[in-house]
Each structure stands twice: as C-alpha cells, then as structure tokens.
C-alpha cells in the first residue's frame, strides 16, 4: 500500500465513521484484511484486542498501527491524521451550523437515518468479532450459506459469557475485563 493509498483509505474511514470507532471495524475488515490484505484476520483481531487495552480511540490506535506497519513513523502520522482530519472539520462545521439548523426537518431526518445505520454497523462489528473469536469457520450469514467447517471454540464461549456477566454484574471497566479474559484465555484456550 503506497503512502497515498494509506492516506485516502484512512481519510475515507474518517468520513464514514459516524457513530464511533466500532463502526470502523467492518470497514477495516473489508479494506485492510480483505481488500489491501495488509493484515490477516488473526492479526486484525489481535490488533483490536490490544487497541481496547491502550488509551485512546480504537480507530486511532488501529490507524497508527497499520500506518506504522506500512511506512514506519511517517505512515503512522499520515494514517492517523487522515482518520482524524474529517472529524475535526465536521465538528467545527457542526458546531457552527447545528445550533442554527437543528430543528430543520432535513437535518432531523439525516440524524434519524444515521442512528440506525450506526447501530447496524456496530452489530456487524459484533458478528465479526464473534466469528473471529468464538466460532470456527464462517457464520451462516455469509454468501456461501454453508456450515461446512463451522464449529464453536468452547473455551472462548465460556470467556465471552464470563466477560458479559462480570461487565453487567460488577460494572467492570473494559480493560479489566479484557485483562481477565486474557488470563482465562491462557488457561482455557491453549
């Protein structure tokens, strides 16, 4: 991937990142794992897991890592800047215009249409994470529609259930849940 491609891909991600960093997961998977093949699926899952534990938004952490892999420090700066640049300008524009136009019928429709699309992208991100970590083979929603080679990683499923329970019951922060899950993974998923 050239420096210019790196810039344009992450600029596109920055423009499409309505709803938060998890909206980027399906886009990252399609472009970086599928399209440009700069990461394997396993590398991407590991990257997202590590990005969860480090400070900062998941998208910025991923952009910095992928940029660094491609072109060192210069690539990290280019990818991170390209990802953040659209949000910077859109927030400035929104701050100036939203107060004036927030009651406008079209603006309300635009925002109402974005919310369910953002929720759908987060659900797709969840399915991708489940497919990459809990299940072996493809989930049946793929075009192939076959369950051949499909299976469940039971240790990962147990860790998933414990993580949900601990997050819900004890209101643990994400880094604590991920570190606990990593320890369980060393015991259950060898």
């Amino acid at each position: 991937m050239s420096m210019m491609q790196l810039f344009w891909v992450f600029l596109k991600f920055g423009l499409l990142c309505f709803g938060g960093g998890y909206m980027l997961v399906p886009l990252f998977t399609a472009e970086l794992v599928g399209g440009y093949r700069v990461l394997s699926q396993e590398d991407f899952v590991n990257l997202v897991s590590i990005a969860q534990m480090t400070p900062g938004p998941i998208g910025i952490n991923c952009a910095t890592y992928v940029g660094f892999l491609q072109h060192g420090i210069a690539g990290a700066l280019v990818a991170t800047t390209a990802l953040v640049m659209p949000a910077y300008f859109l927030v400035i524009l929104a701050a100036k215009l939203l107060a004036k136009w927030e009651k406008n019928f079209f603006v309300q429709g635009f925002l109402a249409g974005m919310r369910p699309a953002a929720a759908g992208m987060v659900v797709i991100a969840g399915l991708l994470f489940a497919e990459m970590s809990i299940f072996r083979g493809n989930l049946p929603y793929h075009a192939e529609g076959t369950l051949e080679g499909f299976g469940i990683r039971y240790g990962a499923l147990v860790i998933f259930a414990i993580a949900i329970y601990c997050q819900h019951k004890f209101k643990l922060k994400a880094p604590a849940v991920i570190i606990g899950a990593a320890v369980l993974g060393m015991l259950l998923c060898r």
Side-chain angles (χ1 to χ4, degrees), residues 50-75:
I50 291 168
Q52 282 294 316
M53 293 177 46
T54 57
I58 188 170
I60 292 175
N61 292 341
C62 290
T64 304
Y65 178 77
V66 170
F68 185 79
L69 279 181
Q70 293 298 300
H71 296 283
I73 292 173

Side-chain angles (χ1 to χ4, degrees), residues 18-156:
F18 292 103
Y22 288 108
M23 291 234 0
L24 287 171
V25 170
L27 299 173
F28 282 166
T29 304
E31 294 278 339
L32 302 176
V33 176
Y36 287 100
R37 299 187 189 279
V38 296
L39 295 170
S40 70
Q41 193 165 358
E42 185 175 344
D43 288 340
F44 179 70
V45 173
N46 292 337
L47 167 61
V48 171
S49 298
I50 291 168
Q52 282 294 316
M53 293 177 46
T54 57
I58 188 170
I60 292 175
N61 292 341
C62 290
T64 304
Y65 178 77
V66 170
F68 185 79
L69 279 181
Q70 293 298 300
H71 296 283
I73 292 173
L77 289 171
V78 165
T80 303
T81 301
L83 183 72
V84 173
M85 199 167 36
Y88 176 77
F89 289 112
L90 288 173
V91 165
I92 290 171
L93 183 66
K96 291 184 179 251
L97 298 178
L98 195 57
K100 181 178 178 181
W101 295 94
E102 71 181 321
K103 302 293 184 207
N104 180 283
F105 176 77
F106 295 107
V107 171
Q108 288 297 312
F110 177 80
L111 295 172
M114 274 189 354
R115 285 189 291 266
M121 294 295 283
V122 171
V123 168
I124 292 295
L127 287 171
L128 287 169
F129 283 134
E131 182 176 9
M132 291 185 274
S133 60
I134 297 171
F135 302 105
R136 280 190 301 277
N138 291 332
L139 289 174
Y141 69 86
H142 283 281
E144 300 89 41
T146 177
L147 289 176
E148 185 177 327
F150 179 77
I152 297 174
R153 294 181 178 100
Y154 291 104

Side-chain angles (χ1 to χ4, degrees), residues 159 175-185:
I159 293 169
V177 172
I178 291 172
I179 289 169
V183 170
L184 283 173

Side-chain angles (χ1 to χ4, degrees), residues 159 181-190:
I159 293 169
V183 170
L184 283 173
M186 288 188 294
L187 300 172
L188 298 175
C189 298
R190 289 188 245 158

